[in-house]
Amino acid sequence: MKLADKKIYLASKSPRRRELLRQIGIDFELLLNDKEVDEQVLPDEKPAAYVARVTRDKLMSARQTMLYRQLPMRPILAADTTVVIDDLILGKPADMKEAVEMITRLSGRTHQVLTSIAVAFQEQMWQITQYSDVAFETLTDDMIRAYCSTQEPYDKAGGYGIQGLASIFIKDIAGSHSGIMGLPLFETAQLLQNAGLRILPPATL
């Protein structure tokens, strides 16, 4: 499978995903969906099914945009991340009250971060969901309120990002650091290589 060029489309607004793609040398162009994807959790929908569905919806919406705009055919990458504890999906807190509730729930416990990634090229699609465990130390009420008084919780699933201020709360992780950030690079590389993209340059020796 040959590509017209080595660039992909990224169907994500996340600055962290852009940073991670640059880290492994992937050239990309943003392809934001013309239509917003519904990210509401369906009745009785399990976290793994939810994050996989939302990722596929983002991917298919971006693909329709590519075809409608008659853009060059390239692999499209979409991803979605969710934070889960007690089988409950924690979205982005709407206000300080929600942020305090979320961080209080995470305090002193281990939760899961699920990131699903999907790549489409031509008529094929590949998808993987990566799971990581994150353990928070036990936080005082003052620590929680001080953290939630910053801007950090309000654009992140679960009210925190591992690369930000909340990193001082994290005792241990088991899984993928980049996956917790929003794009597991091992799995991402696998899917892009399935689509025919070369990640490493050719050997010169």
Side-chain angles (χ1 to χ4, degrees):
M1 186 183 297
K2 292 185 178 180
L3 304 183
D5 55 37
K6 294 184 178 180
K7 183 179 288 188
I8 70 167
Y9 293 118
L10 174 62
S12 175
K13 298 176 182 177
S14 166
R16 291 167 291 281
R17 293 192 180 114
R18 298 176 210 173
E19 175 187 334
L20 288 165
L21 283 177
R22 293 187 185 107
Q23 181 178 317
I24 59 171
I26 301 298
D27 190 14
F28 62 88
E29 178 180 334
L30 292 181
L31 181 60
L32 301 180
N33 305 327
D34 288 340
K35 183 179 178 182
E36 286 294 323
V37 169
D38 183 4
E39 298 189 24
Q40 292 294 315
V41 181
L42 300 178
D44 301 319
E45 190 172 32
K46 295 296 184 182
Y50 164 77
V51 74
R53 174 183 61 82
V54 171
T55 299
R56 286 193 302 273
D57 288 351
K58 289 179 178 180
L59 186 71
M60 292 301 103
S61 179
R63 187 174 186 276
Q64 289 174 358
T65 299
M66 179 186 72
L67 295 174
Y68 177 76
R69 297 182 189 173
Q70 298 183 321
L71 299 173
M73 292 289 290
R74 295 175 181 144
I76 304 170
L77 170 66
D80 191 66
T81 299
T82 193
V83 173
V84 180
I85 190 166
D86 300 326
D87 215 28
L88 177 68
I89 295 171
L90 302 185
K92 299 173 184 178
D95 52 32
M96 186 166 178
K97 180 175 181 292
E98 280 193 6
V100 168
E101 288 173 354
M102 284 185 188
I103 302 302
T104 299
R105 185 183 290 268
L106 299 178
S107 172
R109 302 183 61 195
T110 297
H111 62 274
Q112 278 196 313
V113 179
L114 281 60
T115 295
S116 192
I117 54 174
V119 171
F121 184 52
Q122 296 176 346
E123 300 305 315
Q124 293 184 273
M125 188 194 84
W126 304 267
Q127 184 169 18
I128 298 175
T129 300
Q130 192 277 330
Y131 298 72
S132 294
D133 291 327
V134 181
F136 266 36
E137 72 163 327
T138 300
L139 308 175
T140 66
D141 290 345
D142 283 349
M143 292 169 71
I144 293 170
R145 296 195 68 80
Y147 170 73
C148 293
S149 296
T150 72
Q151 293 303 308
E152 286 221 7
Y154 301 102
D155 65 341
K156 300 174 182 69
Y160 81 95
I162 193 172
Q163 73 285 353
L165 182 59
S167 59
I168 66 173
F169 302 154
I170 297 171
K171 292 198 303 183
D172 187 51
I173 68 167
S176 167
H177 187 277
S178 58
I180 297 166
M181 284 182 68
L183 194 68
L185 292 179
F186 175 77
E187 291 82 357
T188 298
Q190 287 184 310
L191 297 194
L192 291 176
Q193 287 171 133
N194 287 345
L197 199 77
R198 181 188 288 274
I199 307 296
L200 293 173
T204 57
L205 297 179

